Amino acid sequence: MKCDWCESENVSQVSKTVYWELPDGTRAIEIGETPGIKCSSCGMEYQTEGVIEEIEEQLLLIDTTKLHKQITYKDLMAQPRLLKRNYFKFD
């Protein structure tokens, strides 16, 4: 695995707290224990595109009005979906 920013191989997987704006823009939530990458060479800490897409899709498909200000990544991904999948994603 390489760092997306500096391409160093000196990276490790971490779990971090991130803050995410809801798709409707009404508020942001804190998502704890979110999988991420930390690069020891350049110091960047970030989520992979796959994790970002998972969070964004889940937030589009669940009833976000029922979410509290804080939730873990695991609990967010376990929320019941209103739709089975994102029908607007064509790739």
Side-chain angles (χ1 to χ4, degrees), residues 11-71:
V11 296
S12 57
Q13 294 183 344
V14 294
S15 290
K16 303 295 288 183
T17 296
V18 297
Y19 300 89
W20 223 273
E21 184 177 355
L22 298 180
D24 63 5
T26 56
R27 63 189 174 109
I29 60 171
E30 179 181 301
I31 308 171
E33 302 172 28
T34 306
I37 303 294
K38 180 176 182 175
C39 178
S40 298
S41 296
C42 69
M44 288 298 294
E45 294 182 20
Y46 60 93
Q47 281 62 52
T48 62
E49 285 296 318
V51 170
I52 292 169
E53 287 178 15
E54 286 176 347
I55 292 172
E56 291 288 331
E57 182 167 294
Q58 184 70 349
L59 290 173
L60 282 172
L61 300 177
I62 65 172
D63 183 358
T64 58
T65 62
K66 295 181 180 180
L67 292 178
H68 297 287
K69 291 181 180 181
Q70 298 175 320
I71 192 168

